[in-house]
Amino acid sequence: MTRKPEAMHNVKVLQDSFALYGAAAEEFIGCASKSIAGHGRFCVALSGGSTPRGVYSLLAERPAGLQWNNIFVFFGDERHVPPDHPDSNFRMAQEALLSKVPIPAANVFRIRAELDATQAAQEYEDQLRSFFTLKPGESPRFDLIMLGLGDDGHTASLFPGSAALSETSRLVVANWVEKFQQYRITLTYPVINHAAEVMFLVSGAGKAQILKDVLSGEGEKYPAQRVRPKNGVLLWLADQDSARLL
Ligand code: 6PG
């Protein structure tokens, strides 16, 4: 009898999207508290897309639960658009969370995706190297990286067949995404797999097949399957609709 995927992975299935948002917010708060208590700060990379908006809104409703002065916010990826563009991940996070909590502006590290994509990626990588005081060859260790799952198995802006999948030394790259005919700026696997915790958020019936394929597949067919923190926790939070095939 083959083991159910969630038995092999750290998967929590929540009743519905609202319960998913609540569980993700609790995980964020718990991780922040533990990180600040442990080493004085919480460094998190936020996910884009639509699913995390509900989490960010919940976090904005409870600003007192978090020591925002010791929280440092980065982004897992960004579309190649200005920060006020409807597709901007920064804009979504700014509207849902960052503009509603007392986080110092200097604690928010936006990917300047209004620049040339390669320039924006290089600048963000330089910021990571400086903030985390990295030596050559080192990767930053985020306390938490939040990720979503696309229905093609992408995560962050690591899309199937894209060049960034084979990046093993850069921390941030400009990745051409054929299906969108657009550049994206994204963290690479060396960064994602160096995190202390990676939390995937998956919601909706439309993700049921890909979630099953990703969690039950042995190989690395999908980019999301290559997220394997070397020395960290990998947590999947899914609502019942997206987990119905597990
Ligand atoms: C982005 C995200 C992307 C997203 C998935 C899922 O910039 O869009 O980084 O990886 O997490 O596409 O998106 P939804 O949450 O909207 O389904």
Side-chain angles (χ1 to χ4, degrees), residues 47-52 77 79 89 148-150 154-156 184 207:
S47 170
S50 56
T51 303
D77 72 322
R79 290 82 180 277
N89 289 336
L149 176 67
H154 82 260
T155 191
R184 295 276 191 97
K207 299 288 176 72

Side-chain angles (χ1 to χ4, degrees), residues 211-229:
L211 184 59
K212 174 183 182 291
D213 292 345
V214 163
L215 292 183
S216 53
E218 293 302 314
E220 298 185 337
K221 178 181 177 184
Y222 301 105
Q225 290 175 307
R226 293 176 53 181
V227 173
R228 294 199 185 94

Side-chain angles (χ1 to χ4, degrees), residues 45-103:
L46 300 182
S47 170
S50 56
T51 303
R53 183 188 283 270
V55 184
Y56 302 158
S57 299
L58 276 183
L59 292 171
E61 288 167 15
R62 305 169 50 182
L66 289 158
Q67 299 174 42
W68 288 102
N69 282 332
N70 297 320
I71 294 176
F72 298 85
V73 169
F74 297 79
F75 292 82
D77 72 322
E78 187 57 276
R79 290 82 180 277
H80 190 210
V81 295
D84 58 353
H85 190 283
D87 290 347
S88 166
N89 289 336
F90 169 81
R91 174 174 159 174
M92 185 271 281
Q94 175 74 356
E95 287 174 351
L97 175 61
L98 302 175
S99 61
K100 298 177 177 172
V101 295
I103 186 168

